Amino acid sequence: MEKLRCIVLDDEPIGREIIENFVKEIDFLELVDSFEDPVKALMFLENNNNVDLIFSDIQMPKINGLDLVKSLEKPPVIIFITAHRDFALDGFETGATDYLVKPVRFDRFLKAVNKAKDYIELKQKSTVHQVNSDRIFIKSDGKLTKILLDEILYVEAQGDYLKIVIQNETYTTLATLKSMDEVLTLPKFFRVQRSFIINLEAIRSLSGNMVELVNGKSISIALNKKEELFQLLGIR
């Protein structure tokens, strides 16, 4: 595997220097650039699509790390850095692979980058192939199977695999939920929490923080996703 090209983003010079030095200690990481200003980092990312990994602080002036990632059309793999554990859940909801709490220890840093490396390798081996806007082929049970996107009720992440549920069948394939995020897009599909993407047309009912689909499957809605889901469904 080629080196993972990464950038560091932190408005605090000491915190930024620590991560830069850690990156230089890992033989499969290559430091492409380092930024104090999140706006400059955003401009760099919008003009460079060869970054594999971002180490980003969350609390920063002008734009925080969470909003920066959300603004990217196809963000690289993210490892957030924060002084507050309370931000961890929000970080994971943006699709972050891991988060590090300041002061960052090298052993914890190494664990996070190994996790990111495994994730990127898995994504490169993904068995989901989009052939046009309305269908995909997946490798399941030793064969390529065509799935029409309109037939998908929901997709569930299960470790290194995805469970894809359509109206009458269920398939399991090696892939990441993030790779399916690029295929199953709004306004038809919505990621209601870390592990599930649902077909909005498959919703039967809503109760509290739970959504029930037409096949009887009940799925919890992340608190920070509920308002957006209701807006998409036209519920005021």
Side-chain angles (χ1 to χ4, degrees):
M1 181 178 179
E2 295 182 358
K3 287 191 175 186
L4 302 182
R5 295 167 56 84
C6 58
I7 66 168
V8 176
L9 171 58
D10 194 330
D11 62 306
E12 297 179 354
I14 295 177
R16 194 168 62 252
E17 183 179 355
I18 288 172
I19 301 301
E20 288 172 3
N21 289 333
F22 283 176
V23 168
K24 293 172 184 176
E25 292 292 320
I26 309 296
D27 59 2
F28 60 80
L29 296 181
E30 177 185 348
L31 183 63
V32 176
D33 214 329
S34 184
F35 298 91
E36 175 183 4
D37 186 340
V39 175
K40 290 183 179 178
L42 182 59
M43 293 175 62
F44 178 87
L45 290 166
E46 288 177 343
N47 291 289
N48 293 272
N49 58 5
N50 60 349
V51 174
D52 302 301
L53 178 60
I54 302 175
F55 298 96
S56 177
D57 191 13
I58 292 181
Q59 286 186 299
M60 295 180 290
K62 300 180 184 176
I63 179 172
N64 68 43
L66 299 173
D67 290 336
L68 182 145
V69 171
K70 290 176 184 177
S71 70
L72 296 171
E73 185 176 350
K74 292 185 178 181
V77 172
I78 311 295
I79 295 175
F80 279 121
I81 304 165
T82 177
H84 306 282
R85 291 182 182 274
D86 294 343
F87 285 124
L89 180 60
D90 291 336
F92 281 130
E93 291 298 342
T94 65
T97 301
D98 207 342
Y99 77 99
L100 301 170
V101 177
K102 296 180 179 180
V104 180
R105 305 190 319 269
F106 182 76
D107 61 331
R108 183 64 184 85
F109 177 85
L110 181 59
K111 182 178 179 181
V113 296
N114 278 321
K115 184 177 179 181
K117 178 174 175 285
D118 291 343
Y119 177 87
I120 291 169
E121 289 176 342
L122 175 62
K123 185 176 179 181
Q124 291 172 346
K125 294 187 292 185
S126 175
T127 56
V128 176
H129 308 280
Q130 185 171 17
V131 292
N132 56 37
S133 61
D134 69 348
R135 70 197 64 189
I136 57 175
F137 277 85
I138 65 166
K139 189 172 183 179
S140 181
D141 295 328
K143 59 184 177 182
L144 286 172
T145 301
K146 179 179 73 175
I147 296 179
L148 299 177
L149 299 188
D150 284 347
E151 294 182 349
I152 295 175
L153 300 181
Y154 69 91
V155 178
E156 178 183 1
Q158 296 184 329
D160 292 340
Y161 291 84
L162 293 181
K163 181 169 79 172
I164 301 173
V165 178
I166 62 174
Q167 303 200 356
N168 300 312
E169 295 181 80
T170 297
Y171 299 96
T172 301
T173 189
L174 179 70
T176 64
L177 197 63
K178 191 171 182 178
S179 68
M180 289 300 288
D181 260 336
E182 299 171 3
V183 177
L184 304 180
T185 58
L186 291 171
K188 191 173 183 65
F189 292 92
F190 182 68
R191 187 167 179 172
V192 291
Q193 48 133 303
R194 284 184 63 195
S195 300
F196 286 89
I197 299 172
I198 67 170
N199 185 335
L200 296 180
E201 294 182 5
I203 294 175
R204 172 183 286 162
S205 64
L206 295 155
S207 177
N209 289 322
M210 300 296 294
V211 57
E212 182 185 357
L213 304 183
V214 293
N215 67 341
K217 175 71 173 180
S218 292
I219 300 169
S220 61
I221 308 166
L223 292 177
N224 63 344
K225 295 284 189 176
K226 187 173 180 180
E227 182 178 350
E228 185 179 357
L229 175 61
F230 275 47
Q231 289 177 348
L232 289 168
L233 295 174
I235 300 172
R236 303 295 179 184

